[in-house]
Amino acid sequence: MCKGTYPSLLGYPVCWHSLFIVIWTALKLPIALHRWNVITESLSPGASLNSAASPTETELRISEIRKKIDQMIPPRPFTHEDTTTSATHSTVTILNPRDTYCRGDQLDILLEARDHLGRRKEYGGDFLRARMSSPALKAGASGKVMDFNNGTYLIRFTLFWEGQVSLSLLLIHPSEGTSALWRARNQGYDRVIFTGQFINGSTWINTDCALILNSSTELCQYLDAQDQEAFYCVRPQHVPCAALTHMHSKNKEVSYLSKQERTIFVRSNVGVEIMKNFDVISVSKCNSKCSCVCGGGHVWKETWHPVSCSLAPIKMNECLRGKSIHLLGDSTIRQWIEYFKSKINTLKSMDLHGYGKLQNQLAVDLDRNINIQWQKHAYPLIGSSIYSVKEIEYMARVIDRTGGGKNTVVVISLGQHFRPFPIDVFIRRALNVHKAIQRLLLRSPDTTVIIKTENIREMHSDAERLSDFHGYIQNLVMMDIFQDLNVSIIDAWDITIAYGTNNVHPPQYVVGNQINIFLNYIC
């Protein structure tokens, strides 16, 4: 598989398999014993995540990454919606237009951002999404957006296929909106309320739990002693902290956006088409060869095609023979094990006697010695359905107890559940996973490690908590942190934009194409 080197927006060149959309890509049971040191103590109001005894390296790295992102997203205060970027008033111009284009050509478009009064914007930072498509051909691809930070943008499309092609450029959020989201995100931990269930004999007791708890009562601290990540619950009277068994969550009616800022995120202002008056363009075969750079890809007849990399047809059950597959993370990677089970009829689910939709999963094929397991990441784990906390482990601990080897594959998907919380939580988790992968590859360098980036999701659902802007920033963080490791990338961000899914859980055919890339990596 090819690897392209691209400049990271966080300041470093990154070896990445796909370019992100830039605004500015034998049977082992999986369940271990609970590996927290459970500490009960009285904590002062506003108790924060516990700092390590020697926090310098991690804390400095978090601070460094935060500073880079802060520089990318400067404050853009505003007093009225009229001063924000308007999709209707902004202008787009095709550079060097032609009547007919050849397959493989680059098509460049200049965007001049204007506000609702028609005035030119003097700064960048708008969160844009570019896509081209041919619905009749079931074809699609993302475009690359380059931000000149002066109110103008260059949008570049690679014309991958012949036929009639429609172009789309969406204003997801204006720069004032991205600035507001970034400020609001890092102000509070209480957009999601967690309720912990403690059992005392035959009695259930519910209490508040969180990453941060402003409480003068005694708290239970559930601490990962190695990486100093903690979660807290209000301790019920006369009940030990170890009696916490289950958890669920719900959204809290709280916002750190001003009343004026909230107007930016009403449904009619999110994902507005800028190029709605553009005609389709005609692309012919011509006699030229595609001169595409490595990185990215496109959908053709509902199948994903990387730019400079050939995906071979793989027999799934034979490819997985003798393999131990560890799928770690959220429900978007749980879709993978569900896909495997639906496509390999010899793969049997093991009953792990878990509880609810978030229970860990294990599927095996004893004849082919295939072992596939999905394990959810630790807090913050958002779920309105009740789930057991007794099987929760931090991802780094799961990796640390993985022996590794040439037939071991670890796939990590991290991000969706972190979007409602300050970015420091996500950065710390990514750094701890990075260190665990370093240890794994040191003791077992022939282990395959794959990172699946976040899917895009529903565009109009609760931007303050769940906007793709948060996911985009988290993808940049992952690029920055994991650039020095021998890991492979499945750019689900680029893939789901190309398919135009706008669904955190894309359809099975999209998941199948993600898995086809995975199979080509390991076979």
Side-chain angles (χ1 to χ4, degrees):
M1 302 291 288
C2 71
K3 294 187 180 181
T5 301
Y6 303 105
S8 163
L9 291 186
L10 296 184
Y12 301 102
V14 178
C15 210
W16 218 235
H17 294 278
S18 298
L19 191 62
F20 285 104
I21 302 307
V22 182
I23 54 173
W24 329 85
T25 168
L27 180 68
K28 296 179 181 178
L29 290 178
I31 308 306
L33 295 175
H34 210 220
R35 291 175 181 260
W36 290 329
N37 291 337
V38 181
I39 302 170
T40 307
E41 56 183 337
S42 296
L43 298 173
S44 59
S48 62
L49 290 170
N50 198 23
S51 297
S54 302
T56 308
E57 181 182 351
T58 297
E59 298 303 326
L60 285 178
R61 189 78 173 97
I62 293 172
S63 177
E64 173 196 347
I65 294 173
R66 270 294 305 269
K67 184 177 179 181
K68 291 175 185 175
I69 305 173
D70 286 338
Q71 290 171 347
M72 282 173 51
I73 319 169
R76 302 291 185 201
F78 72 100
T79 56
H80 196 277
E81 186 182 344
D82 285 348
T83 65
T84 67
T85 307
S86 164
T88 301
H89 290 86
S90 297
T91 61
V92 285
T93 306
I94 294 181
L95 302 180
N96 304 313
R98 286 179 262 164
D99 292 333
T100 303
Y101 293 86
C102 295
R103 184 172 63 87
D105 284 350
Q106 304 283 356
L107 175 64
D108 290 342
I109 292 175
L110 184 69
L111 166 66
E112 292 185 351
R114 297 179 181 271
D115 67 18
H116 288 262
L117 300 177
R119 300 173 298 195
R120 276 282 307 274
K121 298 295 290 290
E122 297 180 352
Y123 49 83
D126 296 313
F127 188 43
L128 305 168
R129 178 172 299 162
R131 180 175 182 261
M132 66 181 203
S133 63
S134 297
L137 302 173
K138 296 183 179 179
S142 63
K144 179 184 177 184
V145 181
M146 287 166 278
D147 185 350
F148 296 115
N149 295 309
N150 61 2
T152 61
Y153 303 81
L154 179 68
I155 297 90
R156 172 161 290 174
F157 295 96
T158 299
L159 304 177
F160 289 111
W161 62 84
E162 305 164 44
Q164 300 296 104
V165 175
S166 299
L167 304 179
S168 169
L169 181 62
L170 299 180
L171 175 63
I172 309 296
H173 306 305
S175 52
E176 296 81 8
T178 61
S179 174
L181 285 176
W182 179 242
R183 189 204 73 249
R185 175 176 184 172
N186 294 299
Q187 280 188 251
Y189 291 80
D190 56 348
R191 292 178 188 84
V192 177
I193 304 170
F194 293 88
T195 300
Q197 291 189 345
F198 291 74
I199 188 165
N200 183 19
S202 59
T203 303
W204 292 93
I205 305 171
N206 293 339
T207 72
D208 290 339
C209 301
L211 290 162
I212 297 288
L213 271 179
N214 294 315
S215 175
S216 58
T217 60
E218 189 176 17
L219 302 180
C220 291
Q221 181 191 55
Y222 301 95
L223 173 67
D224 179 84
Q226 181 165 332
D227 288 330
Q228 296 295 302
E229 293 194 71
F231 194 76
Y232 302 90
C233 290
V234 173
R235 180 181 176 180
Q237 284 191 336
H238 314 301
V239 177
C241 291
L244 175 67
T245 59
H246 293 83
M247 188 83 64
H248 69 276
S249 67
K250 66 178 181 179
N251 293 339
K252 183 179 179 181
E253 293 300 320
V254 61
S255 174
Y256 292 95
L257 298 170
S258 70
K259 183 178 179 180
Q260 296 236 331
E261 287 169 339
R262 287 197 289 274
T263 64
I264 301 175
F265 304 107
V266 298
R267 185 182 181 93
S268 60
N269 289 336
V270 177
V272 184
E273 181 60 68
I274 297 174
M275 300 177 66
K276 56 179 174 288
N277 296 322
F278 265 65
D279 294 330
V280 297
I281 64 166
S282 179
V283 182
S284 301
K285 183 177 182 180
C286 304
N287 293 317
S288 60
K289 289 186 176 181
C290 180
S291 56
C292 316
V293 296
C294 185
H298 68 282
V299 178
W300 169 259
K301 294 184 178 178
E302 245 174 39
T303 301
W304 177 254
H305 296 268
V307 167
S308 301
C309 320
S310 297
L311 294 180
I314 303 288
K315 275 192 84 172
M316 192 182 301
N317 53 3
E318 290 305 314
C319 172
L320 298 179
R321 183 184 290 273
K323 299 266 191 319
S324 180
I325 312 295
H326 301 258
L327 306 174
L328 308 179
D330 55 33
S331 57
T332 69
I333 199 71
R334 185 185 68 209
Q335 284 188 283
W336 283 30
I337 193 168
E338 291 164 351
Y339 184 90
F340 285 130
K341 289 190 292 187
S342 71
K343 296 298 181 181
I344 305 176
N345 57 16
T346 55
L347 204 58
K348 304 302 180 185
S349 292
M350 305 292 290
D351 185 357
L352 300 176
H353 304 288
Y355 184 89
K357 188 170 63 173
L358 290 174
Q359 64 180 290
N360 296 337
Q361 296 189 35
L362 173 64
V364 299
D365 180 335
L366 295 178
D367 291 334
R368 292 185 176 88
N369 193 23
I370 300 172
N371 171 4
I372 306 175
Q373 50 192 276
W374 172 73
Q375 189 159 344
K376 57 185 172 287
H377 63 70
Y379 305 121
L381 187 67
I382 297 169
S384 56
S385 300
I386 294 173
Y387 57 89
S388 169
V389 302
K390 288 304 183 183
E391 57 186 24
I392 283 182
E393 278 186 284
Y394 283 93
M395 201 178 283
R397 301 290 74 76
V398 179
I399 296 168
D400 280 341
R401 62 178 177 76
T402 301
K406 65 180 181 179
N407 289 320
T408 299
V409 185
V410 178
V411 188
I412 292 165
S413 180
L414 194 64
Q416 296 284 350
H417 292 249
F418 289 79
R419 292 187 182 191
F421 303 99
I423 194 66
D424 290 23
V425 178
F426 181 78
I427 298 173
R428 185 183 302 274
R429 184 66 52 85
L431 288 170
N432 290 336
V433 170
H434 175 275
K435 288 183 286 188
I437 293 174
Q438 269 187 317
R439 294 188 291 267
L440 171 62
L441 295 178
L442 184 65
R443 66 181 181 268
S444 186
D446 52 355
T447 305
T448 299
V449 179
I450 297 172
I451 293 174
K452 173 196 161 295
T453 64
E454 293 185 46
N455 301 332
I456 61 169
R457 65 177 300 149
E458 298 77 9
M459 215 177 294
H460 303 289
S461 60
D462 198 348
E464 186 171 356
R465 288 182 182 87
L466 299 174
S467 170
D468 275 339
F469 177 71
H470 298 318
Y472 173 73
I473 295 300
Q474 291 177 173
N475 278 335
L476 292 183
V477 169
M478 294 291 279
M479 290 167 67
D480 192 60
I481 288 174
F482 286 90
Q483 62 180 308
D484 63 331
L485 292 183
N486 182 25
V487 299
S488 298
I489 307 298
I490 293 179
D491 192 350
W493 186 270
D494 192 38
I495 292 169
T496 49
I497 288 177
Y499 278 98
T501 54
N502 296 321
N503 189 328
V504 66
H505 298 122
Q508 193 176 48
Y509 64 86
V510 178
V511 175
N513 276 275
Q514 294 175 358
I515 288 174
N516 190 40
I517 301 170
F518 163 80
L519 295 173
N520 273 263
Y521 275 137
I522 67 173
C523 296

